[in-house]
Each structure stands twice: as C-alpha cells, then as structure tokens.
Amino acid sequence: MSKLQINLNGEVVELNSNNLSDLVVHKAPKDRPFAIEINGIIVPSSDFDNFKLTNNDRIEIITAVGGG
Amino acid sequence: MTESKLSQQLAADSLEIGTQVYSSRLIVGTGKYPSEDIAEKAINFSGAELVTLALKRFDKGESSENILRPIGNKNLLPNTAGVLTADEAIRSAHISKELFKTNLLKLEIISSAANLDPNMEETLKAARSLSKEDFEIYVYCDRDIDNCKKLEDMGCVAIMPLGSSIGSGRGFDNLIDLEKLRSQISQVLIVDAGLGVPSEASTVMEMGYDAVLVNSAIAQAKDPTRMAESFKKGVEAGRLAYLAGRIPVSDKAKASSPTSFLK
C-alpha cells in the first residue's frame, strides 16, 4: 500500500501501515498507561487491533505527567 | 489521652469524598519534584492517599521519567490542568477516564497561562456538563459563595477554592472569605493552591476545612520529604484542634489563675 500521512501529536508523520496496532507498537509507551484520541474521539484500547487509520487522521497519544 | 489514643481518634475520623473514604486529609500533587525518587519519598512521608497528576502528549524522545512509578498504589485524581475552556476540560476529563480508569476528576480551568486563577464562567459550564456523567468532580474554584454554592448544587463532590495563586506559596489572599465559605457550604471543602507552610494548612483545618491540596510547597521545598511530613503534621494538628473546639475569642482578659494572692 502507499504511505499514509497522519498528524501525530502535532507533527506530520508517514506510516507504512494503516493498522492502529502497528502505530501503537512503534510510537506508544511500553512502560506506562496511555490513551489514544483520533480526530477528537477516544479509541478504547479494546479497539486498537481492528482500527484502521486513514490519511490526515489527527492522532494524539497521551500519557501521565506530574501535576497539582 | 495517650498519644496512641489520639492516633486512634484521628484514624477513626475518616474523610468521605463521593464514593471514596480517606484517613488522610492531605492531598498532594506530583508536579515539579526534582526527581522521581524524591517524589516517591515525599509522597510517602505526606501520608496522602489521594494524589493529583496531569495529562501530556507522549514524546518518545523525552526523558523516561514515569510519574506513576513514585505514586505507587495511591488513589489517582487526574486534573484538567492547562485547559482554558469548558470544551477542553470535558475532552481532558474523557481522556483521563480512559487513561487512568477512574471517574475521579479534578476540574481545573485557568484564566490564562499567565494568570492561573480559575475561569469561573468556563468552570461552571464544564461542571454542569460533566456532572451529568458519572464523574466525581473535585472542582478548583474561586472563593465566591454564589459560585461555590452552584458547584455544590451541581453535585461536585469537593469544592476547592484557592488560598492564593497556584504555586505562589503566599498562603491566603483572603482568609475571611475562606471562613465565610465554610459556614455556607456543607459539601466537602478543600483549600487548593497557594499554601506555602504547614501553619497555613493548620489554619484552614482549624476552621473546619475538610482537607488541603498541596503541591509546589512540598515539591519545591529545599527538602521535600521533610516538608511533606510537616504538612502531614500541620493538617493533623489543625484537624484535631477543630474537633477539640477552640475557645471563644474575647477582647477581654480572662484569668486562668486566681486573680488575687493567697486569699
């Protein structure tokens, strides 16, 4: 397939796969919980395996940071 | 009363917030610590059972510090820090619920990145919307009685007026307003933001506040671990004094010893 262009955490990124699960393997943290939002909608982790990305998707990978 | 009996009395004096029950009345934040190890020690010495934390984009290139490690098994209170509007706060709340698997939420909408005081118009709007979902909302707010009453009526589980500006260490900008609030708000009241030293935590606990939330004063102290312990003791002292009941304030002297010699 041709490369996919998405916006990941505010930056343009090219992907070889349209599987969200592949993106998770390469771009998400492995040692802590995270959440994924695509085009403003939260994707539950149970949907990662079946979710297909499309061109220009805006993807946020979000995790925890210290705060008051 | 022996010291152990006092400890037992404090232990029995649990704090109920929404569906949660705590024995500690100190909530601590997790920002601005010099290191994860110091954060872990300070959080443990604080005795806090509920800790706040925030959201951020994951950046693979950044340091590998993981704030969840020092927090251990404490209850998490994710905040909506950094948001300026109700819409952003609602979005943050939903991400937090998915990420941390909790419906506890510290709703915090600031006025601007430079003025961290609450934007009450947006806060009320967000609270109104989120209270229709199953969130347990701890809300950072101003000291205005009408605003606090509205938040109470919406079902927020904790009303959290600021003592003074976030991170300022200034203590109280208006202690009288805080005292008035306590007399008018029956919901859980927590002073959030601005405290600098434990005596300030004691002061509001003596007034009947249910808890205090402290971050910068501990995290940025020269010795965060010691400061955490001092806040723990300050909160406990204030709570005990509240339960004990202070004497009426009088403008006249009242002798506690005989007023004449050997009669």
Side-chain angles (χ1 to χ4, degrees), chain A:
Chain A
M1 62 169 278
S2 59
K3 287 201 172 186
L4 194 67
Q5 190 169 289
I6 58 149
N7 187 302
L8 177 62
N9 286 356
E11 291 187 1
V12 176
V13 174
E14 286 197 338
L15 303 176
N16 291 316
S17 161
N18 67 346
N19 294 318
L20 175 59
S21 53
D22 289 334
L23 180 84
V24 167
V25 168
H26 292 108
K27 301 288 187 185
K30 293 177 175 52
D31 61 344
R32 69 197 74 175
F34 61 91
I36 292 188
E37 192 191 58
I38 300 182
N39 302 325
I41 296 166
I42 296 160
V43 179
S45 53
S46 55
D47 291 355
F48 286 177
D49 284 345
N50 297 319
F51 198 99
K52 302 294 181 194
L53 301 172
T54 57
N55 247 332
N56 301 319
D57 273 346
R58 287 176 294 107
I59 301 169
E60 299 278 355
I61 301 179
I62 302 138
T63 188
V65 67

Side-chain angles (χ1 to χ4, degrees), chain A residues 9-10 25-35 37 42-45 60-68, chain B residues 29-31 52-58 60 64-68 79 91 94-95 98-101 106 108 213 215:
Chain A
N9 286 356
V25 168
H26 292 108
K27 301 288 187 185
K30 293 177 175 52
D31 61 344
R32 69 197 74 175
F34 61 91
E37 192 191 58
I42 296 160
V43 179
S45 53
E60 299 278 355
I61 301 179
I62 302 138
T63 188
V65 67
Chain B
T30 56
T52 61
L53 72 177
L55 297 178
K56 66 170 276 196
R57 281 174 165 167
F58 175 64
K60 231 178 166 180
S64 60
E65 289 213 350
N66 175 8
I67 194 62
L68 290 166
N79 68 29
R91 181 180 164 205
H94 291 144
I95 294 169
E98 169 67 17
L99 176 50
F100 302 113
K101 309 298 180 200
K106 180 185 168 189
E108 174 179 327
L213 198 165
N215 189 160

Side-chain angles (χ1 to χ4, degrees), chain B residues 75-93:
Chain B
N75 260 20
L76 302 180
L77 179 60
N79 68 29
T80 62
V83 308
L84 299 171
T85 66
D87 286 345
E88 287 177 337
I90 292 164
R91 181 180 164 205
S92 175

Side-chain angles (χ1 to χ4, degrees), chain B residues 29-49:
Chain B
T30 56
K32 299 187 191 169
Y33 278 96
S35 72
E36 267 185 39
D37 286 344
I38 293 173
E40 183 174 16
K41 275 188 197 160
I43 292 167
N44 286 333
F45 271 81
S46 75
E49 297 159 307

